[in-house]
Amino acid sequence: NLSSNPSSQSSTFPSAIPFEITSAVPTPTPSEKPSQTSSSNPSIIPSVIPSIAQSSKPSSNLSSNPSLQSSTFPSAMPSAIASAIPTLTPTHQPTTPTSPFPTKTPTNSPFNPPTASPTTPLPRCPECFLTDEERRAQAFQTIVTLSDPAAINNPSTPQGKCFDWIVDQDLYCSCPQDPKLGQRYIMCVFYQSTNGGNWNQCNAPNDLTNATEIEAANSACNIVADGRDVFNRNTFQGTDAWLTPSYECFWGGLACLDSTLSVDRIEFENDGLSGTLPSELHRLTDLRYLILEENQISGTIPSELGTFRFLHIIDLNFNMMTGSVPAEIYNIDFLLQLDLNDNLLTGTIATEIGDVRYLQFVQIENNKFTGTVPTEMGNLVFMSVFDAFSNELTGSMPQEVCNLRNQFPDDPVNLLEKLTVDCNTTAIFQVNCPVPDCCTSCG
């Protein structure tokens, strides 16, 4: 028979069948093994230490505090009260069903922190090892020695257009430390000053960065600067369109010296050049041939051309040049040919012309020169041609010039073979020059 009250002391072994009446006080020492048959009612007071094996049913009353130690096995159902402290080890899979309360403490930072700063874009010309701003500033320091700073800073001038082209558009990517940066800039200024884009040939492509347009522009350029050189210097040239991303010496109409890679010759005949000649040309210190005949170039002859030492030929005939011939031109030590006929030039023939001792060929006919032929021209012992008809010259041909026709009778190379002025007696402007004793004809 079962006793009506539980034992006052716990038995050593659990009973085979649990007592029907629940004990008000739990045993101080838990049994090592759970009862073989679970009790139909849970204990009224929870034990301090959880049982080793989980009960088949959850407690009827929720505990006010979570367990101090995590259980080995998860509970079959989530607790109704959210834990104040998240578990140290996250579950591999989300709980089912989901918890009605989110975690109180969010994560401190994302798994992959963002970069400290945005990526810096590559410069337009990485081979210069400069940022775009540094390259622009250093290029300006070079180019400002070639042109007026005000012109460079004005984007509507040839100088401003070419500075912006060098820095922002030219695919050749000249670096500020390149010794030929100035040469490339000057040739661009020449192109813009003579209305490049309206030439008959060798115009720059409309899109300077489009490979197809560049190829088409190159195919349309056939001007080769390969004129005769009395000194037979070794040069090279090409037929690329202007402002294309090749070395400027390969642009049609230019030739460069093999030894210095410097522009040696600018040669355009009847190619529709107009506009004016830029003063920057005198910075091409190795230039020997400036041949621009039969175009529509206007303006004056830059006095800066007089700074050339080795310029051999100035050929500007059949253009629309105005003004006088700068006296500085006669400072060119090795000038051999001065060809200025069929322009609108005025002024007098300067006496300094007699200082150009190697001058051989002078053509100034069909202009509006006034005054007289200077006696100093008698110093030009190598002169073979002097044409000055269809001008407004007067007076008499100096005897010193007439003597040049007979200075070396046995050496025809050094004879003044052709000497012409307006010597007809019916001419409005007349120069007294007997034919054939002095002049070869009256024009």
Side-chain angles (χ1 to χ4, degrees):
N1 296 326
L2 299 174
S3 63
S4 57
N5 294 311
S7 306
S8 59
Q9 294 181 352
S10 59
S11 62
T12 305
F13 299 97
S15 58
I17 300 173
F19 191 63
E20 293 179 354
I21 301 175
T22 305
S23 171
V25 180
T27 57
T29 304
S31 61
E32 295 178 357
K33 297 181 180 180
S35 305
Q36 294 179 356
T37 304
S38 60
S39 62
S40 58
N41 296 312
S43 304
I44 297 174
I45 300 175
S47 61
V48 176
I49 301 173
S51 60
I52 297 175
Q54 65 185 26
S55 62
S56 59
K57 296 182 180 180
S59 303
S60 58
N61 296 326
L62 299 176
S63 63
S64 59
N65 295 309
S67 305
L68 297 178
Q69 297 179 351
S70 59
S71 62
T72 306
F73 301 96
S75 59
M77 296 179 67
S79 61
I81 300 175
S83 170
I85 302 173
T87 57
L88 299 178
T89 304
T91 58
H92 295 290
Q93 295 182 355
T95 58
T96 305
T98 59
S99 171
F101 301 98
T103 306
K104 291 185 178 180
T105 306
T107 56
N108 293 324
S109 61
F111 183 74
N112 291 320
T115 57
S117 60
T119 306
T120 303
L122 289 175
R124 197 178 74 83
C125 299
E127 60 268 35
C128 296
F129 300 102
L130 298 169
T131 66
D132 289 342
E133 293 75 14
E134 291 171 338
R135 180 170 169 268
R136 186 179 189 88
Q138 293 185 26
F140 183 83
Q141 293 304 314
T142 296
I143 291 174
V144 78
T145 64
L146 307 174
S147 298
D148 182 357
I152 298 173
N153 288 320
N154 185 343
S156 66
T157 65
Q159 292 79 7
K161 291 177 182 178
C162 290
F163 177 67
D164 289 341
W165 168 74
I166 281 277
V167 174
D168 299 327
Q169 301 176 51
D170 185 13
L171 296 182
Y172 188 74
C173 272
S174 297
C175 298
Q177 59 268 32
D178 184 351
K180 297 304 180 184
L181 171 66
Q183 174 173 279
R184 192 170 182 85
Y185 164 78
I186 291 169
M187 297 323 303
C188 174
V189 172
F190 173 80
Y191 178 79
Q192 297 290 353
S193 297
T194 57
N195 290 326
N198 294 308
W199 295 356
N200 297 337
Q201 288 191 55
C202 302
N203 292 295
N206 292 327
D207 186 345
L208 297 171
T209 63
N210 185 289
T212 302
E213 290 196 24
I214 291 172
E215 183 179 359
N218 289 341
S219 298
C221 179
N222 299 298
I223 297 176
V224 182
D226 59 352
R228 178 173 175 267
D229 177 21
V230 295
F231 297 100
N232 294 319
R233 298 282 300 274
N234 292 326
T235 61
F236 64 98
Q237 58 279 122
T239 57
D240 287 346
W242 281 56
L243 308 190
T244 53
S246 59
Y247 190 48
E248 60 271 12
C249 292
F250 292 114
W251 295 347
L254 298 182
C256 291
L257 293 168
D258 285 355
S259 57
T260 64
L261 306 181
S262 299
V263 174
D264 175 68
R265 179 186 293 262
I266 304 174
E267 185 171 358
F268 287 93
E269 181 175 350
N270 192 24
D271 194 40
L273 279 67
S274 57
T276 60
L277 295 179
S279 61
E280 284 86 355
L281 285 177
H282 81 280
R283 301 289 187 176
L284 302 174
T285 54
D286 287 340
L287 186 68
R288 296 188 302 146
Y289 298 94
L290 181 60
I291 303 173
L292 302 171
E293 60 182 341
E294 298 184 49
N295 287 288
Q296 293 87 46
I297 300 173
S298 58
T300 59
I301 300 172
S303 61
E304 290 85 355
L305 296 184
T307 62
F308 284 112
R309 184 181 178 189
F310 298 106
L311 189 60
H312 300 326
I313 294 179
I314 299 176
D315 189 350
L316 301 174
N317 62 8
F318 293 99
N319 276 284
M320 302 170 64
M321 308 295 296
T322 57
S324 60
V325 178
E328 290 84 354
I329 293 294
Y330 306 122
N331 294 330
I332 304 175
D333 294 335
F334 294 96
L335 185 62
L336 305 178
Q337 179 175 330
L338 183 61
D339 201 350
L340 304 174
N341 61 278
D342 292 87
N343 279 281
L344 303 172
L345 297 169
T346 58
T348 62
I349 303 173
T351 58
E352 288 85 353
I353 194 172
D355 297 333
V356 192
R357 55 180 177 169
Y358 299 112
L359 192 57
Q360 301 174 9
F361 192 95
V362 179
Q363 284 188 320
I364 60 171
E365 72 268 22
N366 292 311
N367 280 288
K368 296 182 179 181
F369 288 107
T370 57
T372 61
V373 177
T375 58
E376 287 80 1
M377 288 196 67
N379 299 330
L380 304 178
V381 296
F382 296 103
M383 188 165 62
S384 61
V385 174
F386 178 56
D387 284 328
F389 61 89
S390 294
N391 277 288
E392 298 177 8
L393 298 171
T394 56
S396 298
M397 183 65 68
Q399 186 59 46
E400 290 84 352
V401 177
C402 295
N403 292 341
L404 295 176
R405 294 206 58 222
N406 300 297
Q407 58 178 330
F408 302 113
D410 298 328
D411 187 359
V413 174
N414 290 321
L415 288 176
L416 177 54
E417 298 177 346
K418 188 177 182 184
L419 177 60
T420 62
V421 290
D422 295 311
C423 54
N424 289 322
T425 56
T426 58
I428 298 176
F429 299 97
Q430 179 185 353
V431 176
N432 183 20
C433 186
V435 178
D437 295 336
C438 185
C439 283
T440 56
S441 70
C442 292

